[in-house]
Amino acid sequence: MSNKPSKPHSRSSALVTLVLAVAVAAGVTAWLMAGGDRKPADGSAGDPALRLAAGARLYAEQCAACHGADLEGDANWRERKADGTMPAPPHDDSGHTWHHPDRFLVAYTKYGGAEVLRSMGIDAPSAMPAFGEQLSDAEIVSVLDFIKSHWSDRARIAQAKLTAEDLRNQ
């Protein structure tokens, strides 16, 4: 074992990591959309800018009432409510959304929190409703793309790595 101090990551190394993370995230988005059950009606699936705009619109319509217009979540989102559910978490870096791989986030949105938790062997109530009847898989991905666009590079890279690891372990 060497006593030499390890070199800090160079700026170019960080850039390569960011580019790879973005490429992985784009690939996962394409993978999710290709396997989705329905395409968005607005034609946004193939155009990243249109998909992001559609995600912003859908977030405002479907998510902002609970998670906040600015993705801020409920003030006491870490404290269980009297009914046993957890308040809506923020979707910015201060929350935990970026701690989950894409497949989990899509499933949680599509099938609802209680169903996904149950599939993991966790019997817990959840206030997160299922949006699978209202939104196509591609629309769910566009909402997640919108949410991700508000994360720091650090959060996006970490989440892309989780997604890549999840895909390898499938």
Side-chain angles (χ1 to χ4, degrees):
M1 187 153 138
S2 171
N3 288 334
K4 290 194 321 189
S6 62
K7 290 185 203 175
H9 289 291
S10 69
R11 181 176 218 146
S12 63
S13 174
L15 180 59
V16 168
T17 302
L18 177 60
V19 168
L20 288 172
V22 169
V24 167
V28 168
T29 297
W31 169 77
L32 285 167
M33 289 172 55
D37 56 355
R38 295 172 290 154
K39 299 296 181 201
D42 62 9
S44 63
D47 183 325
L50 287 176
R51 193 170 59 244
L52 195 60
R57 178 182 52 78
L58 291 166
Y59 180 89
E61 292 170 2
Q62 304 289 333
C63 312
C66 293
H67 292 280
D70 295 322
L71 293 83
E72 71 274 13
D74 282 337
N76 297 321
W77 66 274
R78 289 184 174 109
E79 297 173 19
R80 198 167 294 282
K81 294 179 180 180
D83 66 0
T85 62
M86 298 298 290
H91 285 314
D92 59 15
D93 281 18
S94 70
H96 60 81
T97 308
W98 62 273
H99 296 189
H100 302 288
D102 284 348
R103 189 166 54 115
F104 176 86
L105 295 174
V106 169
Y108 209 82
T109 305
K110 183 174 182 170
Y111 301 113
E115 182 64 30
V116 171
L117 292 172
R118 203 171 11 265
S119 75
M120 298 167 62
I122 301 169
D123 185 26
S126 174
M128 177 64 179
F131 285 91
E133 296 294 320
Q134 294 95 323
L135 302 173
S136 70
D137 289 359
E139 288 170 328
I140 291 170
V141 169
S142 72
V143 170
L144 294 173
D145 285 347
F146 168 74
I147 290 169
K148 291 176 186 184
S149 74
H150 290 80
W151 294 345
S152 66
D153 289 345
R154 181 183 68 81
R156 274 194 294 275
I157 290 168
Q159 197 273 338
K161 287 179 182 178
L162 286 170
T163 295
E165 183 179 327
D166 180 57
L167 288 173
R168 281 192 304 273
N169 293 330
Q170 265 185 239

